[in-house]
Amino acid sequence: MAMGPAPAARHFVNMSTPFIDSNGARIPLIGLGTWDLRGRTCARMVEEALKLGYRHIDTAAMYGNEQEVGEGLRASGIKRDEVFVTTKVWSSNLRAVDFERSARDSLKKLKLSSVDLLLIHWPNSSIPLKETIGALCKMKREGVARHVGVSNFDAGLVEEAVKHSTEPLVNNQIECHPYFDQTKTIAASHKRGLSVTAYSPVARGRAQGDVLLTRIGEAHGKSAAQVCLRYLVQQDLIVIPKTSRSERLRENFAIFDFKLAPAEMKQIAALASLHGSIVS
Ligand SMILES: NC(=O)c1ccc[n+]([C@@H]2O[C@H](COP(=O)([O-])OP(=O)(O)OC[C@H]3O[C@@H](n4cnc5c(N)ncnc54)[C@H](OP(=O)(O)O)[C@@H]3O)[C@@H](O)[C@H]2O)c1
């Protein structure tokens, strides 16, 4: 189906968090990742993040923490319609009937009437993509999700997904940080109007010890992790760093008050390699 223009970020200084428009969705440029956050810690980090100004939370059926994410959301006192909540359906549930059950089960655990974004967590080559995309679109039509998208889809799969979809796909969530060259998948997603969410955006902590990122950070009064996140958002990529520490919630959020120079962006880009994945 026809898609809108490539996503472009709007950076408003007076807003608590800037956002990106993609195929009809308005997605906050920074969110809290929650993989590996469990129980009380998960609920507390979600609550703290929202109180700090985060307006986007990323979870998944597979993380086993949707109940706690919902608790944190309610404890924050922030109105439901001000927060962008993403969840995902795991790759073993991509048959239509399983997909629908999983998505509705996520709503029950979160205690929400809908999520803002529902993603296919990982592709599964043993199940026809057409069937899964059909189920995904049905979830949008039935109001389970306001928007739908994909995750871990490469350039070819993005094209295939768009071809099968009757609803706009708004987002592709992929591993993305300075060490991994994802240029091709990002370009293919943007070409179809899907925004890209960078998961593992601080390379699971590796950014912290990076000599180049630290040096550039010193020039801006920022940490290496902040430079890493800034590098991504400056390319209109949404970032969802995970942390279990309050001080890092603040640190990761403070990336909209400085700008990297073109030469600095270029130096950081040179860290990337096609084999730089740390996840798969
Ligand atoms: N779609 C998918 O298949 C997929 C796959 C992986 C992840 N994700 C999503 O993306 C989110 C983020 O990815 P991730 O958790 O893999 O990796 P990440 O956010 O890059 O890194 C998280 C790790 O980095 C540390 N960290 C966070 N902020 C830091 C900072 N400012 N300085 C130094 N260390 C810092 C955290 O430790 P502390 O907790 O001790 O701060 C944690 O160990 C996940 O939580 C999940 O929501 C999606």
Side-chain angles (χ1 to χ4, degrees), residues 32-37 58-59 63 88 90 119 121-122 151-152 173-175 177 198-208 223 225-226 229 240-245 248 251-252 278-279:
L32 174 67
T34 67
W35 175 67
D36 218 16
L37 289 176
D58 182 80
T59 183
Y63 301 168
K88 320 181 190 84
W90 187 237
L119 302 176
H121 202 149
W122 282 89
S151 178
N152 297 298
Q173 184 177 127
I174 55 173
E175 179 184 348
H177 45 71
Y199 76 65
S200 306
V202 295
R204 299 211 162 140
R206 178 174 161 192
Q208 187 188 26
S223 70
Q226 287 171 319
L229 293 169
I240 47 168
K242 168 260 167 185
T243 183
S244 50
R245 304 191 199 184
R248 285 182 176 165
E251 178 184 342
N252 294 345
I278 51 162
V279 171

Side-chain angles (χ1 to χ4, degrees), residues 177-181 206-207 210-214 216 227-228 231 264-274 276:
H177 45 71
Y179 309 107
F180 190 23
D181 184 351
R206 178 174 161 192
D210 189 282
V211 177
L212 175 68
L213 299 178
T214 303
I216 292 175
V227 170
C228 181
Y231 169 73
E264 293 170 325
M265 293 292 285
K266 215 169 152 187
Q267 282 179 307
I268 300 170
L271 297 174
S273 102
L274 289 170

Side-chain angles (χ1 to χ4, degrees), residues 178-200:
Y179 309 107
F180 190 23
D181 184 351
Q182 287 278 41
T183 317
K184 204 174 151 195
T185 306
I186 292 170
S189 304
H190 284 175
K191 184 177 149 205
R192 289 298 190 168
L194 285 78
S195 53
V196 170
T197 297
Y199 76 65
S200 306

Side-chain angles (χ1 to χ4, degrees), residues 117-156:
L117 181 60
L118 181 68
L119 302 176
I120 300 171
H121 202 149
W122 282 89
N124 179 341
S125 58
S126 64
I127 296 171
L129 185 58
K130 191 174 176 195
E131 176 177 343
T132 309
I133 294 286
L136 180 73
C137 291
K138 184 174 176 224
M139 292 300 90
K140 180 176 175 194
R141 285 195 304 276
E142 297 189 356
V144 170
R146 287 177 56 230
H147 302 286
V148 290
V150 296
S151 178
N152 297 298
F153 275 41
D154 64 14

